[in-house]
Amino acid sequence: CEMAAGSCLLLLLLPWLVTALHSPPGCKIRITSKGLDLVKQEGLRFVEQELQNITVSDLHGKEGQFHYNISQVKVVDLQLASSDLHFQPQQHLVFNINNASISLRFRRQLLYWFFYDIGSINASADGIHIHTVLQLAKDEAGRLKISNTTCNASIARMHADFSGTLRKVYEFLSTFIVTGMRFLLSQQICPSLEHASLVLLNSVLDTVPVRNYVDEHVGIDYSLLRDPAVSTDTLDLDFKGMFFPRAREDQELENHAVEPVIKETERMVYAAFSEYFFDSAMHAYFQAGVLAIELQGEEVPKDLEVLLRATFFGTIFMLSPTVDAPLRLVLQVSAPPRCIIKPSGTSVSVSAFLNISLVPQGRPAVQLSSMAMVSGGRPVSPPFKLSAKVFLQGKALRVQLDLRRFRIYSKQSALESLAGPGGSPASLCLSLPAERTKKGVQIPLPEGMDFTKEVVTNHAGFLTVGADLHFSKGLREVIEKYRPAPTAPAHPSSWPAEPSMDPHQL
């Protein structure tokens, strides 16, 4: 019985668990193979810089009466002839470097009986092959990270050029020296790239906004809902894409919108936003109590004041001697606006009211009318709709609202109906959400990476922005900006001693 009850409970919870695991994203970003090609170009410059900073340990040894010490190894040139960066299905990026070469210079010290020789040696490592696999995953904070790397490096050939009075001796020892240097160099390539990936590149991914404030009223949650989905041609990221009021940061708005679907692969990157993304923004601003405005006295535009006084002349006249009392307008959105995205365009559904009052000095305010926003003729019931244009500028997603073709209507009297020219109460009311959308909100891309050639396309329930990518800052510049300050080790490190200049200490 207990087993049967447990099975029944599991069956009841299964639909909820599936929904929780596959909750639809409010925002989705796709990076295509074309975008990866651009990333490869910038990444290749970064890899070159990292490999040029390789630190190779000193090499010393003894063969008969010959004592040798190789130190101060420096990379002087790096040639990456062939490289490839591609997607590997599931959660991986694969980076290959083939037939690369590294030129080195290092200091030599040789003691043979009583003969002592010092100088520099030029060497080259050719036929270098590096195979690196980066595993991508969502970390605990919901940020994309490189969670693991696997690396294999090999050097096909290495050659050293010797000179000086003991050149023949060095040539005799070249087999030992070159073999040792080849081993030490190959052992440093993968640790260098692993540090570059797990530490340095992850510091760039840390610049992607996850949960941050948009302004003094609302914030946005761009946390990943799940690990990235990688195919042979694309990398898809599902973000929560939910705005929240800063006064209630733990507030959740359930997502019932259509999940964005990206099918295109022609551009470098695609960003898709569902109705939920915009609805949560308007809901957050509504919860923050900022979708309202009050104008009184001199704040009311003169042409609007003349229009209102003419409309309510009879009511105001009956209030003599307060005919010259200032007017007060209170514009209030009465419910969270809703976004409707269709292939034909985007609109916003708003329920809003305008309260018009006369405010005599030293006396209670007298309400002249309470009026509702309508889209054309007399409303059966609010809300009204206004058209919206979504566009991208840099990395900021912005919304431009259409403030035309609207009326304000009062059920109290057929005379109390005002059209919506530029200075009317309609325009003032619609300017409330419009002001909140001027600055826009940043799309979750790393610092230094921007969109270019953006094209917005509407679909049923969501819209997509197709664009190309541009690096306004190099990876190195961003890394140096956010590189943590070095800290002293808790315990003294055992560093190798500087190579001795005294031949008797070799």
Side-chain angles (χ1 to χ4, degrees), residues 291-314:
L291 296 186
I293 188 172
E294 180 177 322
L295 304 176
Q296 181 172 320
E298 297 295 329
E299 297 174 337
V300 180
K302 290 299 181 183
D303 56 345
L304 177 58
E305 181 179 7
V306 172
L307 177 63
L308 292 175
R309 287 189 182 277
T311 302
F312 301 107
F313 175 76

Side-chain angles (χ1 to χ4, degrees), residues 177-408:
I177 295 175
V178 169
T179 301
M181 288 302 300
R182 176 181 173 185
F183 173 77
L184 291 176
L185 180 60
S186 63
Q187 291 297 304
Q188 292 301 316
I189 291 175
C190 282
S192 177
L193 294 182
E194 288 171 357
H195 176 266
S197 302
L198 296 176
V199 178
L200 302 183
L201 290 183
N202 273 337
S203 70
V204 176
L205 293 176
D206 283 339
T207 66
V208 177
V210 172
R211 188 178 177 90
N212 64 325
Y213 295 139
V214 177
D215 55 28
E216 66 272 23
H217 303 293
V218 306
I220 187 168
D221 188 337
Y222 269 136
S223 58
L224 283 171
L225 296 175
R226 53 192 66 91
D227 288 334
V230 181
S231 70
T232 55
D233 299 314
T234 60
L235 182 150
D236 288 342
L237 301 168
D238 290 347
F239 297 93
K240 190 172 186 178
M242 185 199 77
F243 290 78
F244 56 87
R246 291 181 59 169
R248 306 176 186 177
E249 293 195 14
D250 296 332
Q251 179 174 292
E252 292 282 337
L253 183 64
E254 194 170 351
N255 187 354
H256 298 290
V258 174
E259 179 173 350
V261 178
I262 304 176
K263 298 181 179 179
E264 300 86 353
T265 58
E266 291 77 17
R267 307 297 292 274
M268 291 185 181
V269 65
Y270 291 89
F273 305 89
S274 74
E275 292 174 342
Y276 172 80
F277 179 85
F278 301 99
D279 285 348
S280 67
M282 293 180 285
H283 186 273
Y285 278 117
F286 180 80
Q287 291 291 321
V290 296
L291 296 186
I293 188 172
E294 180 177 322
L295 304 176
Q296 181 172 320
E298 297 295 329
E299 297 174 337
V300 180
K302 290 299 181 183
D303 56 345
L304 177 58
E305 181 179 7
V306 172
L307 177 63
L308 292 175
R309 287 189 182 277
T311 302
F312 301 107
F313 175 76
T315 304
I316 296 175
F317 183 78
M318 296 299 293
L319 296 175
S320 180
T322 61
V323 175
D324 294 330
L327 290 174
R328 180 171 65 194
L329 310 181
V330 179
L331 306 171
Q332 177 70 54
V333 175
S334 56
R338 298 294 303 275
C339 179
I340 302 100
I341 303 176
K342 297 180 179 179
S344 57
T346 303
S347 61
V348 178
S349 175
V350 184
S351 297
F353 294 89
L354 170 65
N355 293 322
I356 306 172
S357 304
L358 202 65
V359 189
Q361 186 174 3
R363 297 177 59 185
V366 179
Q367 181 169 305
L368 300 178
S369 180
S370 180
M371 311 176 79
M373 297 289 299
V374 300
S375 298
R378 297 183 180 183
V380 177
S381 62
F384 70 94
K385 291 182 180 179
L386 57 141
S387 61
K389 178 183 178 182
V390 180
F391 62 98
L392 198 63
Q393 188 170 3
K395 279 190 295 191
L397 187 72
R398 303 187 179 189
V399 181
Q400 180 180 346
L401 299 176
D402 187 351
L403 307 184
R404 301 169 297 173
R405 301 190 303 275
F406 295 98
R407 299 172 64 85
I408 297 180

Side-chain angles (χ1 to χ4, degrees), residues 413-491:
S413 170
L415 296 176
E416 299 178 10
S417 180
L418 303 174
S424 71
S427 294
L428 291 173
C429 190
L430 291 176
S431 69
L432 295 176
E435 285 296 322
R436 300 299 172 191
T437 59
K438 278 185 178 180
K439 183 179 179 182
V441 61
Q442 181 180 346
I443 291 179
L445 282 181
E447 183 174 335
M449 186 179 291
D450 294 322
F451 292 109
T452 61
K453 303 177 183 178
E454 309 91 349
V455 176
V456 179
T457 305
N458 279 40
H459 304 272
F462 66 95
L463 58 84
T464 60
V465 180
D468 289 336
L469 291 172
H470 166 70
F471 279 95
S472 58
K473 297 180 181 178
L475 287 176
R476 177 65 57 186
E477 182 180 354
V478 177
I479 288 170
E480 293 301 327
K481 179 179 178 181
Y482 294 98
R483 185 189 294 272
T487 56
H491 301 284

